[in-house]
Amino acid sequence: MSLIKYINLQELGDDRGGLVAIEELTHIPFSLKRVYYIFGTKAGVERGFHAHKELIQMAVCVKGSCTMMLDNGDEKADVKLDSSSKGILIEPMVWHEMRDFSSDCVLLVLASDVYDEADYVRDYNEFLLMRE
Ligand code: T46
């Protein structure tokens, strides 16, 4: 199974400007329960450093750019998110870290469930053990 799964979003903009629509189960392969966005991340800050047990997410940089590192325990990959029409799927039990946030970065994340701290695996060694 491939570690990097891009979600290509159709740009519906016209000469007035841009527009991208995201519908659950059509453009993303899950039902949507939560939306959040990360912005104003200070220079040099790194975020994430966890995996989720059950949660499925799609992240898209709607402005600016950042780098997301994905790690399934066997393989790691850096993905540059710099397009408002190209998202990435963050599947359960994929360790992820975000860095290199541009000062204008707005990272929009769509999630399959409401916030639940119990769904986070924040210890990397525990993550590796759980993958076995
Ligand atoms: C993820 C990556 C991509 C809430 O109360 N509700 C929420 O929906 C979220 C997302 C966070 N929080 C609280 C929990 C923390 O006290 O906001 C604080 C910051 O969250 P965290 O340190 O987990 O943020 P990131 O940027 O490290 O990770 C976030 C998401 O939490 C995580 O699920 O996959 O973005």
Side-chain angles (χ1 to χ4, degrees):
M1 205 165 54
S2 109
L3 175 60
I4 303 176
K5 289 188 181 144
Y6 288 111
I7 305 271
N8 291 309
L9 301 163
Q10 196 184 349
E11 293 199 23
L12 304 168
D14 53 30
D15 54 7
R16 297 169 298 170
L19 194 157
V20 170
I22 306 171
E23 294 179 7
E24 62 176 353
L25 302 173
T26 301
H27 305 108
I28 49 169
F30 55 86
S31 294
L32 186 61
K33 287 252 182 73
R34 178 168 52 114
V35 175
Y36 61 92
Y37 44 96
I38 294 168
F39 60 98
T41 302
K42 297 196 170 60
V45 165
E46 298 185 341
R47 313 186 62 123
F49 294 86
H50 59 254
H52 286 283
K53 295 174 191 163
E54 308 274 348
L55 192 71
I56 310 176
Q57 302 186 100
M58 195 278 281
V60 56
C61 241
V62 294
K63 191 168 166 59
S65 63
C66 68
T67 300
M68 186 171 296
M69 193 280 287
L70 299 177
D71 174 358
N72 63 12
D74 295 320
E75 196 189 342
K76 295 181 187 195
D78 273 339
V79 179
K80 176 109 174 161
L81 298 175
D82 59 0
S83 166
S84 54
S85 58
K86 194 169 192 174
I88 192 159
L89 209 56
I90 309 171
E91 296 193 299
M93 293 310 291
V94 172
W95 186 267
H96 48 286
E97 302 172 6
M98 297 94 79
R99 51 179 62 92
D100 303 333
F101 286 86
S102 62
S103 56
D104 61 346
C105 179
V106 181
L107 182 66
L108 175 72
V109 185
L110 310 186
S112 64
D113 213 339
V114 296
Y115 176 74
D116 177 8
E117 184 58 36
D119 186 66
Y120 285 70
V121 185
R122 293 193 184 268
D123 181 282
Y124 187 70
N125 290 327
E126 186 188 341
F127 161 73
L128 290 178
L129 286 171
M130 288 173 75
R131 293 288 308 180
E132 286 174 1

